Amino acid sequence: MSYVTTKDGVQIFFKDWGPKNAQPLVFHHGWPLNADDWDAQMLFFVSHGYRVVAFDRRGHGRSSQVSEGHDMDHYAADASAVVEHLDLKNSIHIGHSTGGGQVARYVAKFGQPQGRVAKAVLISAVPPLMVKTAGNPEGTPVEVFDGFRKALAENRSQFFLDVPAGPFYGFNRPGAKVSQGVIQNWWRQGMMGSTKAHYEGIKAFSETDQTEDLKAIKVPTLVMAGDDDQVVPYKTGALLQAKLIKGSTLKVYPGFSHGMCTVNADVINADLLAFIRG
């Protein structure tokens, strides 16, 4: 198994597939999952000749279950550790949900200053700020995130079945085509990680104001979201991202859920490929 050790001693697990001289695509997963959540994209893009890299966030999947550093600054620094270890250049960074926040901070703080990033993609991503505040009146009330914390602390295993069986993939919608395999795979990925990392990660993805990260992004950026996203509402996520990132491209998919990379992989992969090649 492949690992890189960060400056603060955390082992970050990564996958690195495809030709080493090909353009690299780096995938950043959502909460509370791991690099396996990108299976449908990794297989597709490696078959199209790209070098594909994905890694498990600290405390998630196969990376170290450390006590500290479950915040967006450490997430971005860990991403940079993987990129620097593999010496990736001209790379395209693709982030889903919390991973979208990770991409925004990575690109702003590391990727652009180091000249390593060519393009970025934010999919159903959490920036600029999820939680409702005086300055963000359309955000999600903190009580919702407190509910996540309570459910996780009381019965993480059940909570990690309820989320994918319900809002994450839109399986709670009338007429939805429910996949038990997708639900169980979400549960499997979640339960591989640390409950402390997951608990503290809720604050990281919901309360980190990334307005300045988005404003700092200068590379071509694709913003993607489903208009039936029940986890990260597109009106307070994707629409604001597109406004804050100059020259970005916005694609909103009618009826698509938060987990559209998995359940609508054919559509998402085709659009990603067109953007990457464009």
Side-chain angles (χ1 to χ4, degrees), residues 113-186:
Q114 295 174 355
R116 291 183 177 275
V117 59
K119 294 181 181 181
V121 183
L122 305 181
I123 305 175
S124 311
V126 298
L129 178 63
M130 282 197 75
V131 73
K132 182 179 181 178
T133 64
N136 187 40
E138 300 302 312
T140 302
V142 71
E143 289 79 10
V144 172
F145 303 112
D146 288 341
F148 290 174
R149 282 181 274 261
K150 184 174 185 288
L152 189 146
E154 289 180 352
N155 190 341
R156 182 171 66 137
S157 184
Q158 185 60 50
F159 182 47
F160 284 3
L161 284 174
D162 294 342
V163 173
F168 199 93
Y169 298 107
F171 290 162
N172 56 347
R173 295 306 198 202
K177 185 180 178 182
V178 178
S179 167
Q180 290 301 320
V182 166
I183 294 168
Q184 289 170 24
N185 190 42
W186 201 99

Side-chain angles (χ1 to χ4, degrees), residues 1-277:
M1 296 174 77
S2 302
Y3 289 90
V4 59
T5 303
T6 66
K7 290 176 182 177
D8 60 340
V10 180
Q11 284 198 305
I12 301 294
F13 167 82
F14 66 88
K15 308 177 188 185
D16 178 13
W17 303 344
K20 299 300 179 273
N21 61 344
Q23 184 173 26
L25 311 182
V26 184
F27 294 92
H28 304 243
H29 67 79
W31 177 97
L33 306 172
N34 62 48
D36 296 352
D37 198 44
W38 290 108
D39 282 354
Q41 284 69 46
M42 298 271 286
L43 203 58
F44 176 85
F45 284 103
V46 79
S47 73
H48 280 77
Y50 291 93
R51 180 180 184 179
V52 294
V53 175
F55 60 96
D56 293 354
R57 187 172 300 122
R58 64 170 58 205
H60 295 61
R62 291 138 292 204
S63 292
S64 300
Q65 293 200 8
V66 291
S67 180
E68 308 303 329
H70 307 298
D71 56 72
M72 207 59 77
D73 283 335
H74 281 88
Y75 296 167
D78 293 349
S80 187
V82 174
V83 171
E84 291 173 51
H85 174 71
L86 297 175
D87 195 24
L88 304 180
K89 296 171 182 174
N90 192 37
S91 54
I92 298 172
H93 286 261
I94 302 166
H96 175 253
S97 199
T98 301
Q102 186 170 290
V103 165
R105 183 142 299 179
Y106 166 78
V107 170
K109 303 295 184 186
F110 298 95
Q112 285 181 162
Q114 295 174 355
R116 291 183 177 275
V117 59
K119 294 181 181 181
V121 183
L122 305 181
I123 305 175
S124 311
V126 298
L129 178 63
M130 282 197 75
V131 73
K132 182 179 181 178
T133 64
N136 187 40
E138 300 302 312
T140 302
V142 71
E143 289 79 10
V144 172
F145 303 112
D146 288 341
F148 290 174
R149 282 181 274 261
K150 184 174 185 288
L152 189 146
E154 289 180 352
N155 190 341
R156 182 171 66 137
S157 184
Q158 185 60 50
F159 182 47
F160 284 3
L161 284 174
D162 294 342
V163 173
F168 199 93
Y169 298 107
F171 290 162
N172 56 347
R173 295 306 198 202
K177 185 180 178 182
V178 178
S179 167
Q180 290 301 320
V182 166
I183 294 168
Q184 289 170 24
N185 190 42
W186 201 99
W187 179 91
R188 175 190 68 84
Q189 291 177 64
M191 294 305 292
M192 286 170 70
S194 151
T195 190
K196 188 175 191 292
H198 293 159
Y199 189 92
E200 295 179 5
I202 294 169
K203 181 180 179 71
F205 75 65
S206 65
E207 297 183 32
T208 305
D209 189 336
Q210 297 196 257
T211 302
E212 296 306 314
D213 292 332
L214 297 175
K215 287 180 179 178
I217 296 174
K218 306 302 181 190
V219 296
T221 302
L222 175 62
V223 175
M224 311 169 84
D227 74 357
D228 193 32
D229 190 327
Q230 301 171 67
V231 179
V232 181
Y234 80 100
K235 289 181 180 178
T236 54
L239 297 191
L240 295 181
Q241 293 157 27
K243 286 181 181 178
L244 290 165
I245 303 172
K246 288 184 180 179
S248 59
T249 301
L250 173 66
K251 290 189 76 75
V252 177
Y253 299 84
F256 280 20
S257 68
H258 189 65
M260 62 185 189
C261 293
T262 297
V263 293
N264 305 104
D266 54 340
V267 175
I268 300 305
N269 290 349
D271 287 351
L272 283 172
L273 183 63
F275 173 73
I276 290 164
R277 286 177 169 173

